[in-house]
């Protein structure tokens, strides 16, 4: 969806690959869900173009006008053999909250980076120890603690989840309306695409949820208030301290240079990231603009300067790779703005910073390197 302006409508259209029957259409405008739907004539025209292109081995992914983007999802294996279209439409409604959150101006970035959005809790070791004990007591290896869709702590089993489910599960929980407890069926695109698992969620504090990925056991009723209190009551104050971590990501009082307006730190091997636009909130630009600038800069950096290293299957004998990879790059935005963006990579970590116009250009790399060194023990 790239460079659309903040108020540009975006439509996500899903069609049955063989028949062209529209399964759903979700829309957003200005980053919020919209009731504005595509006319049936437009859907029919897009399907006609898709079918025409299919005969020529050309796939239509999106269509754009000056102020509108339509994204088409076609040809998914799981949707090719549809026996009952109306039943499938009803089943897909359970995904609408998740889909709408992808179309909106989310505070998360895992959809773009394919890294799990994380936060750093104030008493991480105690929280991790309690989480592991709770997982053993409930008989499941896959447990995490989430705040606003970001992982505060997780068991080793949870961290071993593959992509994209490691990103999708916290995002799904963050997109759902608040509830004290849930027993939610989920299919894992990588690990279990045909057999559903159960995603159990329990709200410890408003915005802070405990998540268990499991099979038939344990039943939700087994996670009674007495069990929850025994494990989590001793950590009540540290849990409360986690609530502001949603947008902030970093512990309160963590020293950041006053010119930093936003940051994205990625651990490329662990596939985890910290993302915040909270520093110096009283300065321009707005949080929405900061997120958009960092997202666009990450896209530029990841595709141009720091592309992911190809796996063995992707390497070809005649493919030429650069002898040297850059260690840093920066971008100064045009007149009237002056904000600066810098990226630096050291080993398995990549850091992107959004900086105020007052930062000397010659000091960008040094500031980014010092910041990355300070953040390294956290992630």
């Amino acid at each position: 969806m790239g460079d659309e302006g903040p108020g540009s409508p975006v439509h996500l259209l899903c069609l049955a690959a063989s028949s062209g029957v529209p399964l759903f259409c979700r829309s957003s405008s200005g980053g919020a869900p919209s009731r504005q739907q595509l006319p049936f004539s437009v859907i029919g025209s897009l399907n006609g173009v898709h079918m025409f292109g299919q005969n020529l081995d050309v796939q239509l992914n999106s269509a754009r006008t000056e102020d509108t983007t339509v994204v088409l999802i076609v040809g998914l294996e799981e949707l090719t053999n549809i026996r009952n279209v109306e039943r499938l439409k009803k089943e897909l409604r359970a995904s609408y909250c998740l889909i709408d959150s992808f179309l909106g101006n989310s505070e998360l970035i895992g959809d773009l980076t394919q890294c799990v959005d994380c936060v750093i809790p104030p008493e991480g070791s105690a929280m991790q120890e309690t989480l592991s004990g709770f997982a053993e007591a409930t008989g499941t290896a896959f447990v995490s603690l989430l705040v606003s869709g970001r992982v505060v702590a997780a068991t080793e089993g949870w961290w071993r989840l593959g992509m994209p489910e490691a990103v999708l599960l916290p995002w799904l929980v963050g997109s759902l309306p608040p509830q004290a407890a849930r027993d939610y069926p989920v299919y894992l695109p990588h690990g279990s695409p045909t057999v559903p698992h159960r995603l159990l969620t329990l709200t410890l504090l408003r915005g802070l949820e405990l998540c268990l990925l499991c099979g038939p056991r344990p039943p939700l009723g087994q996670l009674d208030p007495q069990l929850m209190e025994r494990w989590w009551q001793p950590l009540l104050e540290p849990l409360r301290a986690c609530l502001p971590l949603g947008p902030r990501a970093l512990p309160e009082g963590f020293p950041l240079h006053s010119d930093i307006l936003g940051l994205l730190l990625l651990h490329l091997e662990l596939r985890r990231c910290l993302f915040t636009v909270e520093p110096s909130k009283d300065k321009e630009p707005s949080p929405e603009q900061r997120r958009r600038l960092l997202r666009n800069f990450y896209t530029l950096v990841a595709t141009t300067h720091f592309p992911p290293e190809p796996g063995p299957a992707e390497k070809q004998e005649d493919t030429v790779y650069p002898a040297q990879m850059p260690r840093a790059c920066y971008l100064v935005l045009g007149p009237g703005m002056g904000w600066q963006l810098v990226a630096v990579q050291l080993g398995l970590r990549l850091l992107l910073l959004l900086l105020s116009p007052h930062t000397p250009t010659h000091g960008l790399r040094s500031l980014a390197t010092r910041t990355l060194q300070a953040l390294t023990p956290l992630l």
Side-chain angles (χ1 to χ4, degrees), residues 102 108-118 159 161-169 171 189-190 264-274 295 298-299 302 308:
F102 283 124
L108 307 178
I109 200 168
D111 61 317
L112 179 64
T113 63
Q114 286 302 288
C115 293
V116 180
D117 285 274
C118 300
W159 285 126
L161 290 172
M163 294 296 167
E165 42 257 43
V167 169
L168 285 175
L169 288 173
W171 197 301
H190 179 265
L264 169 61
L265 173 65
L266 303 105
H267 195 297
L268 303 175
E269 184 177 59
L270 298 179
R271 308 304 298 172
R272 304 176 197 174
C273 68
L274 300 175
R295 288 179 71 95
Y298 172 79
T299 301

Side-chain angles (χ1 to χ4, degrees), residues 32-49:
S34 170
R35 294 186 177 182
Q36 177 187 357
Q37 295 294 314
L38 290 175
F40 190 78
S41 58
V42 173
I43 295 176
S45 299
L46 288 169
N47 182 58
V49 174

Side-chain angles (χ1 to χ4, degrees), residues 72-296:
L72 280 75
I73 304 296
V74 293
L76 297 177
E77 264 185 50
E78 294 80 1
L79 301 179
T80 51
N81 299 317
I82 301 172
R83 298 179 181 178
N84 188 323
V85 171
E86 294 306 315
R87 179 181 174 183
L88 179 60
K89 286 182 180 180
K90 290 180 180 178
E91 291 174 346
L92 287 171
R93 287 175 190 165
S95 305
Y96 284 179
C97 285
L98 180 63
I99 293 168
D100 289 344
S101 71
F102 283 124
L103 294 177
N105 288 331
S106 174
E107 296 181 356
L108 307 178
I109 200 168
D111 61 317
L112 179 64
T113 63
Q114 286 302 288
C115 293
V116 180
D117 285 274
C118 300
V119 300
I120 305 301
E123 296 188 29
S125 57
M127 212 162 287
Q128 188 67 51
E129 185 178 344
T130 300
L131 192 73
S132 299
F134 177 80
E136 187 175 348
T138 54
T140 177
F142 305 96
V143 184
S144 67
L145 185 64
L146 307 180
V147 58
S148 304
R150 300 165 176 86
V151 176
V152 178
T155 60
E156 290 185 12
W158 184 281
W159 285 126
R160 286 198 298 268
L161 290 172
M163 294 296 167
E165 42 257 43
V167 169
L168 285 175
L169 288 173
W171 197 301
L172 170 65
V173 175
S175 72
L176 296 173
Q179 280 185 291
R182 303 185 191 90
D183 192 337
Y184 206 86
V186 292
Y187 291 87
L188 305 180
H190 179 265
S192 182
T194 57
V195 178
H197 283 61
R198 294 166 63 227
L199 180 64
L200 308 183
T201 70
L202 301 121
T203 298
L204 300 180
L205 297 169
R206 186 173 179 85
L208 188 66
E209 297 184 81
L210 194 63
C211 301
L212 297 82
L213 185 66
C214 53
R217 301 188 64 82
L220 188 58
Q222 182 180 320
L223 306 175
D224 54 67
Q226 290 79 14
L227 176 68
M228 301 299 293
E229 185 173 333
R230 177 162 63 89
W231 283 99
W232 297 104
Q233 182 67 30
L235 286 180
L236 183 57
E237 290 308 314
L239 290 173
R240 283 180 176 153
C242 290
L243 296 179
L245 289 178
R248 195 173 66 211
L250 298 171
E252 186 176 6
F254 186 85
L256 286 175
H257 195 282
S258 59
D259 285 349
I260 295 176
L261 304 176
L263 68 85
L264 169 61
L265 173 65
L266 303 105
H267 195 297
L268 303 175
E269 184 177 59
L270 298 179
R271 308 304 298 172
R272 304 176 197 174
C273 68
L274 300 175
F275 181 48
T276 180
V277 294
E278 288 287 296
S280 304
K281 289 192 293 185
D282 55 330
K283 299 179 182 178
E284 292 291 332
S286 68
E288 292 77 13
Q289 287 177 292
R290 296 182 187 194
R291 281 191 287 269
R292 191 161 61 250
L293 288 170
L294 279 167
R295 288 179 71 95
N296 288 342

